[in-house]
Amino acid sequence: MDFTPSPEQEAARELAARIFGDLSTPERLTGLDGGTDAGLWKALGDAGLAAAVEEAGLLGLVLMLEEQGRTTAQVPFAASCVYGLLAVAAHGTAEQRERLLPGLRDGSAVAAGAFPGRTGIMVSAPEGTAPEAGGGSSRAVLSGVVPWVPWLRDATHVLVAVREKVAHSLWMVRAADARCEPVELTAPWSAGRLVLDGTPAERIGGASAYEDVLAAARTAFAGLQAGVCAGSLARAVEYTNEREQFGRPLAAKQGVQLRAAEAHMDVEAMRVTAYEAAWRRDAGLGYRSHALTAAWWASEAGKRVVHTGQHLHGGLGADLDHPVHRHFLWGRQLDGYLGCGSEVLEELGELIAAGAHEGGESA
């Protein structure tokens, strides 16, 4: 395996780093008051970064999400690319791709993902309306409630996971046809409570679509977490090198160095496991167990790193208005998104016990 980015992937990463670095500043984030940065979202669309994901693949997306995480940029980039662009490109029909992809590429359409199985609430299609497993695109109506969906208030489309008799299926609904009730999350993600009441929906993909999209989402958000943690650690390193105590920088103290070194190793573990899972998907190899591994590191190591970032800031770490606190909030939100550490570890164990891992897994 070779995680070296292609020239196209590296170019996309560098462009993402420049746009996020220039536009997602602490001053600008403070002025958003929890909302989405519409100007930044437009800049990303104008630069063609969402459209570039089709060429750059999941690994390219992970590289760009790292750059978003470093600045905690408040845009639905991960959600729209995973639940919209990649999901439709990989599992949509020719008609769905022609109709849905142009808006997702240029940012005029935004997709969110409602995976209620991760929150303990299930949404079901009325009996007799769902096609049999492996069937093509068809239509149904959905009813139910998903308590929180990240970026729902920005979405034009929502990809909803529905539990049928023996498996999950994916259905796309127009946000305008559903009801969104604003909710607040730990991180300022423009989330909402999704209420479906006989809402028209169209099926995306067949029996394998759910597992693929869930694994891709876990991988992508693990990459985002790696960036969030890298940004938190970078702020801590900068602060401890500048802050002096008894005439010496805090960074000269062995205890500070050890905490920072441990955090660095955690960030590298998050990064390499996300890279591996993404690379395997792009190569057409099984990657479900690798996505679960990346998600486990993102959860367990992620919360360690953002706590370390705050701790190394000393008293400033308790300041809710300090930029490092934003990394803390994002890190804790991502810690439990799509399954906390113990949940994904249990799922990974079941996958390995079933023999559906490494070369033997199908997604």
Side-chain angles (χ1 to χ4, degrees), residues 45-112:
D46 292 343
L49 283 183
V53 172
E54 288 184 273
E55 180 69 24
L58 185 55
L59 180 56
L61 176 60
V62 166
L63 293 169
M64 288 187 276
L65 289 175
E66 275 193 82
E67 302 304 329
Q68 179 186 359
R70 290 178 194 276
T71 62
T72 60
Q74 286 181 205
V75 287
F77 191 53
S80 195
C81 286
V82 171
Y83 300 123
L85 196 75
L86 290 180
V88 174
H91 302 288
T93 64
E95 186 276 332
Q96 287 172 330
R97 292 195 296 271
E98 182 178 1
R99 171 165 46 87
L100 296 173
L101 286 180
L104 294 167
R105 289 175 184 137
D106 64 21
S108 59
V110 176

Coordinates of all heavy atoms in Angstrom, one line a residue, residues 45-112:
G45 N -17.0 26.1 -3.2 CA -17.7 25.7 -4.4 C -17.0 26.3 -5.6 O -16.9 25.7 -6.7
D46 N -16.7 27.6 -5.5 CA -16.1 28.3 -6.7 C -14.7 27.7 -7.0 O -14.3 27.7 -8.2 CB -15.9 29.8 -6.3 CG -17.3 30.5 -6.2 OD1 -18.3 30.0 -6.7 OD2 -17.3 31.7 -5.7
A47 N -14.0 27.2 -6.0 CA -12.7 26.6 -6.2 C -12.8 25.2 -6.8 O -11.8 24.6 -7.2 CB -11.9 26.6 -4.9
G48 N -14.0 24.6 -6.8 CA -14.2 23.3 -7.3 C -13.7 22.2 -6.4 O -13.5 21.0 -6.8
L49 N -13.6 22.4 -5.1 CA -13.1 21.4 -4.2 C -14.0 20.2 -4.0 O -13.6 19.1 -3.8 CB -12.7 22.0 -2.8 CG -11.4 22.8 -2.8 CD1 -11.1 23.3 -1.5 CD2 -10.2 22.0 -3.4
A50 N -15.3 20.5 -3.9 CA -16.3 19.4 -3.7 C -16.2 18.5 -5.0 O -16.2 17.3 -4.9 CB -17.7 19.9 -3.5
A51 N -16.2 19.1 -6.2 CA -16.2 18.4 -7.4 C -14.9 17.6 -7.5 O -14.9 16.5 -8.1 CB -16.3 19.4 -8.6
A52 N -13.8 18.1 -6.9 CA -12.5 17.4 -7.0 C -12.5 16.1 -6.3 O -11.7 15.2 -6.6 CB -11.4 18.3 -6.5
V53 N -13.5 15.9 -5.4 CA -13.5 14.7 -4.6 C -13.8 13.5 -5.5 O -13.3 12.4 -5.3 CB -14.6 14.8 -3.5 CG1 -14.8 13.4 -2.8 CG2 -14.2 15.8 -2.5
E54 N -14.6 13.7 -6.6 CA -14.8 12.6 -7.5 C -13.6 12.0 -8.1 O -13.4 10.8 -8.3 CB -15.8 13.0 -8.6 CG -17.2 13.2 -8.1 CD -18.2 13.6 -9.3 OE1 -18.3 14.8 -9.6 OE2 -18.8 12.7 -9.8
E55 N -12.6 12.9 -8.4 CA -11.3 12.5 -9.0 C -10.3 12.1 -7.9 O -9.6 11.2 -8.1 CB -10.8 13.7 -9.8 CG -9.4 13.4 -10.5 CD -9.5 12.4 -11.6 OE1 -10.6 12.2 -12.2 OE2 -8.5 11.7 -11.9
A56 N -10.3 12.9 -6.8 CA -9.3 12.6 -5.7 C -9.7 11.4 -4.9 O -8.8 10.9 -4.1 CB -9.2 13.9 -4.9
G57 N -11.0 11.0 -4.9 CA -11.4 9.8 -4.1 C -11.5 10.1 -2.6 O -11.3 11.3 -2.2
L58 N -11.7 9.1 -1.8 CA -11.9 9.3 -0.4 C -10.6 9.7 0.3 O -10.6 10.5 1.2 CB -12.4 7.9 0.2 CG -12.8 8.0 1.7 CD1 -13.8 9.1 2.0 CD2 -13.2 6.6 2.2
L59 N -9.5 9.2 -0.2 CA -8.2 9.7 0.4 C -8.0 11.2 0.1 O -7.6 11.9 1.0 CB -7.0 8.9 -0.2 CG -5.6 9.3 0.3 CD1 -5.6 9.2 1.8 CD2 -4.6 8.4 -0.4
G60 N -8.4 11.6 -1.1 CA -8.3 13.1 -1.3 C -9.2 13.9 -0.4 O -8.8 14.9 0.1
L61 N -10.4 13.3 -0.2 CA -11.3 14.0 0.8 C -10.7 14.0 2.2 O -10.8 15.1 2.9 CB -12.7 13.3 0.8 CG -13.7 13.8 1.7 CD1 -14.0 15.3 1.5 CD2 -15.0 13.0 1.7
V62 N -10.2 12.9 2.6 CA -9.6 12.9 4.0 C -8.5 13.9 4.1 O -8.4 14.6 5.1 CB -9.0 11.5 4.3 CG1 -8.1 11.5 5.5 CG2 -10.2 10.5 4.5
L63 N -7.7 14.1 3.1 CA -6.6 15.1 3.1 C -7.2 16.5 3.2 O -6.7 17.3 4.0 CB -5.7 15.0 1.8 CG -4.9 13.7 1.7 CD1 -4.3 13.6 0.3 CD2 -3.8 13.7 2.7
M64 N -8.2 16.8 2.5 CA -8.9 18.1 2.6 C -9.6 18.3 3.9 O -9.5 19.4 4.5 CB -9.8 18.3 1.4 CG -9.2 18.4 0.1 SD -10.3 18.8 -1.3 CE -10.9 17.2 -1.7
L65 N -10.1 17.3 4.5 CA -10.8 17.4 5.7 C -9.8 17.6 6.9 O -10.2 18.3 7.9 CB -11.7 16.2 6.0 CG -12.9 16.0 5.1 CD1 -13.6 14.7 5.4 CD2 -13.9 17.2 5.3
E66 N -8.6 17.1 6.8 CA -7.6 17.4 7.8 C -7.4 18.9 7.8 O -7.3 19.5 8.9 CB -6.3 16.7 7.4 CG -6.2 15.3 7.9 CD -4.7 14.8 7.7 OE1 -3.9 15.1 8.6 OE2 -4.4 14.2 6.7
E67 N -7.4 19.5 6.7 CA -7.1 21.0 6.6 C -8.3 21.7 7.2 O -8.2 22.8 7.9 CB -6.8 21.5 5.2 CG -5.6 20.8 4.6 CD -4.4 20.9 5.4 OE1 -4.2 22.0 6.1 OE2 -3.5 20.0 5.3
Q68 N -9.5 21.2 6.9 CA -10.7 21.9 7.6 C -10.6 21.7 9.1 O -10.9 22.7 9.8 CB -12.0 21.2 7.1 CG -13.2 21.8 7.7 CD -14.5 21.1 7.4 OE1 -14.5 20.2 6.6 NE2 -15.6 21.6 7.9
G69 N -10.3 20.5 9.6 CA -10.2 20.3 11.0 C -9.2 21.2 11.7 O -9.4 21.6 12.8
R70 N -8.1 21.5 11.0 CA -7.1 22.3 11.7 C -7.6 23.7 12.0 O -7.2 24.3 13.0 CB -5.9 22.5 10.7 CG -5.0 21.3 10.5 CD -3.9 21.5 9.5 NE -3.3 20.3 9.0 CZ -2.3 19.7 9.7 NH1 -1.9 20.2 10.8 NH2 -1.8 18.6 9.2
T71 N -8.6 24.2 11.3 CA -9.2 25.5 11.5 C -10.6 25.4 12.0 O -11.2 26.5 12.3 CB -9.2 26.3 10.2 OG1 -10.0 25.6 9.2 CG2 -7.8 26.5 9.6
T72 N -11.1 24.3 12.2 CA -12.5 24.1 12.7 C -13.5 24.9 11.8 O -14.3 25.6 12.4 CB -12.7 24.3 14.2 OG1 -12.3 25.7 14.5 CG2 -11.9 23.3 15.0
A73 N -13.3 24.9 10.5 CA -14.1 25.7 9.6 C -15.5 25.2 9.6 O -15.8 24.1 9.4 CB -13.5 25.7 8.2
Q74 N -16.5 26.2 9.8 CA -17.9 25.8 10.0 C -18.6 25.7 8.6 O -19.4 26.6 8.3 CB -18.5 26.8 10.9 CG -18.1 26.6 12.4 CD -18.8 27.5 13.3 OE1 -18.3 27.7 14.4 NE2 -20.0 28.0 13.0
V75 N -18.3 24.6 7.9 CA -19.0 24.4 6.7 C -19.3 22.9 6.6 O -18.6 22.1 7.2 CB -18.2 24.8 5.4 CG1 -18.1 26.3 5.3 CG2 -16.7 24.2 5.5
P76 N -20.4 22.5 5.9 CA -20.8 21.0 5.9 C -20.0 20.2 4.8 O -20.6 19.5 4.0 CB -22.3 21.1 5.5 CG -22.4 22.4 4.7 CD -21.4 23.3 5.3
F77 N -18.7 20.5 4.7 CA -17.9 19.9 3.6 C -17.9 18.3 3.7 O -18.1 17.6 2.7 CB -16.5 20.4 3.7 CG -15.7 20.1 2.5 CD1 -16.1 20.4 1.2 CD2 -14.4 19.5 2.6 CE1 -15.3 20.1 0.1 CE2 -13.6 19.2 1.5 CZ -14.1 19.5 0.3
A78 N -17.6 17.8 4.9 CA -17.5 16.3 5.1 C -18.9 15.7 4.8 O -19.0 14.7 4.1 CB -17.1 16.0 6.5
A79 N -19.9 16.2 5.4 CA -21.3 15.7 5.3 C -21.7 15.7 3.8 O -22.2 14.6 3.3 CB -22.3 16.4 6.2
S80 N -21.6 16.8 3.2 CA -22.1 16.9 1.8 C -21.4 16.0 0.8 O -21.9 15.4 -0.1 CB -22.1 18.3 1.3 OG -22.9 18.5 0.2
C81 N -20.1 15.9 1.0 CA -19.3 15.0 0.2 C -19.5 13.6 0.4 O -19.6 12.8 -0.6 CB -17.8 15.3 0.4 SG -17.2 16.9 -0.3
V82 N -19.7 13.1 1.6 CA -19.9 11.7 1.9 C -21.3 11.3 1.7 O -21.5 10.3 1.0 CB -19.5 11.4 3.4 CG1 -19.9 10.0 3.8 CG2 -18.0 11.6 3.6
Y83 N -22.2 12.0 2.2 CA -23.6 11.6 2.1 C -24.3 12.0 0.8 O -25.4 11.5 0.5 CB -24.4 12.2 3.3 CG -23.9 11.7 4.6 CD1 -23.6 12.7 5.6 CD2 -23.9 10.4 5.0 CE1 -23.1 12.3 6.8 CE2 -23.4 10.0 6.2 CZ -23.0 10.9 7.1 OH -22.6 10.5 8.4
G84 N -23.7 12.9 0.1 CA -24.2 13.4 -1.2 C -23.3 12.9 -2.3 O -23.7 12.0 -3.0
L85 N -22.2 13.6 -2.5 CA -21.4 13.4 -3.7 C -20.9 11.9 -3.9 O -21.2 11.3 -4.9 CB -20.2 14.3 -3.7 CG -19.5 14.5 -5.0 CD1 -20.3 15.4 -6.0 CD2 -18.1 15.1 -4.8
L86 N -20.2 11.4 -2.9 CA -19.7 10.0 -3.0 C -20.8 9.0 -3.0 O -20.7 8.0 -3.7 CB -18.7 9.8 -1.9 CG -17.4 10.5 -1.9 CD1 -16.5 10.2 -0.7 CD2 -16.6 10.2 -3.2
A87 N -21.8 9.2 -2.2 CA -22.9 8.2 -2.1 C -23.7 8.1 -3.4 O -23.9 7.0 -3.9 CB -23.9 8.6 -1.0
V88 N -24.0 9.3 -4.0 CA -24.7 9.2 -5.3 C -23.8 8.8 -6.4 O -24.3 8.0 -7.3 CB -25.3 10.6 -5.6 CG1 -25.9 10.7 -7.0 CG2 -26.3 11.0 -4.5
A89 N -22.6 9.2 -6.4 CA -21.7 8.8 -7.5 C -21.4 7.3 -7.5 O -21.3 6.6 -8.5 CB -20.3 9.5 -7.4
A90 N -21.4 6.7 -6.3 CA -21.1 5.3 -6.2 C -22.3 4.4 -6.3 O -22.3 3.3 -6.8 CB -20.4 5.0 -4.9
H91 N -23.5 4.9 -5.8 CA -24.6 4.0 -5.7 C -25.9 4.5 -6.4 O -26.9 3.8 -6.5 CB -25.0 3.8 -4.2 CG -23.8 3.2 -3.5 ND1 -23.4 1.9 -3.6 CD2 -23.0 3.7 -2.6 CE1 -22.4 1.6 -2.8 NE2 -22.1 2.8 -2.2
G92 N -25.9 5.7 -6.9 CA -27.0 6.3 -7.6 C -27.2 5.7 -9.0 O -26.2 5.2 -9.6
T93 N -28.4 5.8 -9.5 CA -28.6 5.4 -10.9 C -28.1 6.5 -11.8 O -27.7 7.6 -11.4 CB -30.1 5.2 -11.2 OG1 -30.8 6.5 -11.0 CG2 -30.8 4.2 -10.2
A94 N -28.1 6.2 -13.1 CA -27.6 7.2 -14.1 C -28.4 8.4 -14.0 O -27.9 9.6 -14.1 CB -27.6 6.6 -15.5
E95 N -29.8 8.2 -13.9 CA -30.7 9.4 -13.8 C -30.4 10.2 -12.5 O -30.4 11.4 -12.5 CB -32.1 8.9 -13.8 CG -33.2 10.0 -13.9 CD -33.5 10.6 -12.5 OE1 -33.4 9.9 -11.5 OE2 -33.9 11.8 -12.5
Q96 N -30.2 9.5 -11.4 CA -29.9 10.2 -10.1 C -28.6 11.0 -10.2 O -28.5 12.1 -9.7 CB -29.9 9.2 -9.0 CG -31.3 8.7 -8.6 CD -31.2 7.5 -7.6 OE1 -30.2 6.8 -7.5 NE2 -32.2 7.4 -6.7
R97 N -27.6 10.4 -10.8 CA -26.3 11.1 -10.9 C -26.4 12.3 -11.8 O -25.9 13.4 -11.4 CB -25.3 10.1 -11.5 CG -24.9 9.0 -10.5 CD -23.6 8.3 -11.0 NE -23.8 7.6 -12.3 CZ -24.2 6.4 -12.5 NH1 -24.5 5.6 -11.4 NH2 -24.3 5.9 -13.7
E98 N -27.2 12.2 -12.8 CA -27.3 13.3 -13.7 C -28.1 14.5 -13.1 O -27.8 15.7 -13.3 CB -28.0 12.9 -15.0 CG -28.2 14.0 -16.0 CD -28.9 13.6 -17.3 OE1 -29.2 12.4 -17.4 OE2 -29.1 14.4 -18.2
R99 N -29.0 14.1 -12.2 CA -29.9 15.1 -11.6 C -29.3 15.7 -10.3 O -29.4 16.9 -10.1 CB -31.3 14.5 -11.3 CG -32.2 15.3 -10.4 CD -33.6 14.8 -10.4 NE -33.7 13.3 -10.2 CZ -33.7 12.7 -9.1 NH1 -33.8 13.5 -7.9 NH2 -33.8 11.4 -9.0
L100 N -28.6 14.9 -9.5 CA -28.2 15.3 -8.2 C -26.7 15.8 -8.1 O -26.4 16.7 -7.4 CB -28.4 14.2 -7.2 CG -29.8 13.7 -6.9 CD1 -29.8 12.5 -6.0 CD2 -30.6 14.8 -6.3
L101 N -25.9 15.2 -8.9 CA -24.4 15.5 -8.8 C -24.1 17.0 -9.1 O -23.2 17.6 -8.5 CB -23.6 14.6 -9.6 CG -23.5 13.1 -9.0 CD1 -22.6 12.3 -9.9 CD2 -22.9 13.2 -7.6
P102 N -24.6 17.6 -10.2 CA -24.2 19.0 -10.5 C -24.3 19.9 -9.3 O -23.4 20.7 -9.0 CB -25.1 19.4 -11.6 CG -25.4 18.1 -12.3 CD -25.6 17.1 -11.2
G103 N -25.4 19.9 -8.6 CA -25.6 20.8 -7.5 C -24.6 20.5 -6.3 O -24.1 21.4 -5.6
L104 N -24.4 19.2 -6.1 CA -23.5 18.8 -5.0 C -22.0 19.1 -5.4 O -21.2 19.4 -4.5 CB -23.6 17.3 -4.8 CG -24.9 16.8 -4.3 CD1 -25.0 15.3 -4.4 CD2 -25.1 17.2 -2.8
R105 N -21.7 19.2 -6.7 CA -20.4 19.5 -7.1 C -20.1 21.0 -6.8 O -19.0 21.4 -6.4 CB -20.2 19.2 -8.6 CG -20.1 17.7 -8.9 CD -20.0 17.5 -10.4 NE -20.0 16.1 -10.7 CZ -20.7 15.6 -11.7 NH1 -21.4 16.4 -12.5 NH2 -20.6 14.3 -12.0
D106 N -21.0 21.9 -7.2 CA -20.8 23.3 -7.1 C -21.2 23.9 -5.8 O -21.0 25.1 -5.6 CB -21.4 24.1 -8.3 CG -22.9 24.0 -8.3 OD1 -23.6 23.7 -7.3 OD2 -23.5 24.2 -9.4
G107 N -21.8 23.1 -4.9 CA -22.2 23.6 -3.6 C -23.6 24.2 -3.5 O -24.0 24.6 -2.4
S108 N -24.3 24.3 -4.6 CA -25.6 24.9 -4.6 C -26.6 23.9 -3.9 O -27.7 24.3 -3.4 CB -26.1 25.2 -6.0 OG -26.1 24.0 -6.8
A109 N -26.2 22.6 -3.8 CA -27.0 21.6 -3.1 C -26.1 21.1 -1.9 O -24.9 21.0 -2.1 CB -27.4 20.5 -4.0
V110 N -26.7 20.8 -0.8 CA -25.9 20.4 0.4 C -26.6 19.1 0.9 O -27.9 19.1 1.1 CB -25.9 21.4 1.5 CG1 -25.2 20.9 2.7 CG2 -25.1 22.7 1.0
A111 N -25.9 18.1 1.1 CA -26.5 16.8 1.7 C -26.1 16.7 3.1 O -24.9 17.0 3.5 CB -26.0 15.6 0.9
A112 N -27.0 16.2 3.9 CA -26.7 15.8 5.3 C -27.1 14.3 5.4 O -27.7 13.7 4.6 CB -27.6 16.6 6.3

